[in-house]
Amino acid sequence: MKEYAKTFYKGVRWKKCRKAYIAYRVSVDGGLCEECHCRLGYIVHHKKAITEFNIDDPDITYNFDNLEYVCKNCHDMFDGHGVGHRGAAPLCIFDEEGQPISLREIDRLPPSEDGDVLPERPRPPD
């Protein structure tokens, strides 16, 4: 979270707005993610991002028209909100034990001597 936004997101007004928006979305469709419509919402997202220049503009920060209730997976796909940005390739994959393997490192590895095939690079979601 950006330093200028910390006070905003901890504020009573935002917490009340967030709670009211979630209640509204629950009354509309049970609180489904407004992006994928498959999972329950988890985060109230600002469609037009909050910046240090508009954080004091209630039409941006508290306006229901600028909010959407999204699941964490969808939220992480928005630019600046997670590792799986739309159109960007993932930076790692996970082995059988759940340990991350850097795709940058895989690109630099020579072929293995025993003929093991490296995992295929996952594609970002459409």
Side-chain angles (χ1 to χ4, degrees):
M1 177 182 321
K2 305 283 185 189
E3 193 62 39
Y4 62 81
K6 287 182 180 179
T7 302
F8 170 79
Y9 284 113
K10 291 179 182 178
V12 172
R13 186 173 179 193
W14 167 246
K15 289 179 181 179
K16 286 182 179 179
C17 177
R18 179 186 177 279
K19 184 177 180 179
Y21 189 75
I22 292 170
Y24 163 69
R25 291 305 310 167
V26 167
S27 74
V28 170
D29 61 8
L32 286 176
C33 173
E34 292 183 70
E35 287 287 319
C36 70
H37 308 286
C38 296
R39 293 176 288 273
L40 290 176
Y42 178 74
I43 297 169
V44 176
H45 171 72
H46 288 90
K47 295 176 196 176
K48 180 173 182 176
I50 291 178
T51 68
E52 59 189 312
F53 306 107
N54 67 17
I55 198 162
D56 294 321
D57 182 349
D59 284 336
I60 301 294
T61 53
Y62 302 110
N63 185 344
F64 277 20
D65 291 336
N66 190 41
L67 302 177
E68 65 180 335
Y69 195 38
V70 295
C71 67
K72 178 144 178 33
N73 289 349
C74 288
H75 188 258
D76 286 352
M77 297 303 289
F78 297 126
D79 286 341
H81 291 294
V83 296
H85 306 307
R86 290 184 184 184
L91 300 176
C92 72
I93 58 174
F94 297 91
D95 67 16
E96 299 81 28
E97 289 140 17
Q99 297 301 311
I101 301 170
S102 168
L103 292 176
R104 291 181 181 152
E105 291 300 317
I106 288 175
D107 290 340
R108 289 189 284 237
L109 290 176
S112 67
E113 292 179 17
D114 61 3
D116 281 348
V117 177
L118 293 172
E120 188 174 313
R121 183 184 300 263
R123 297 188 179 274
D126 293 331

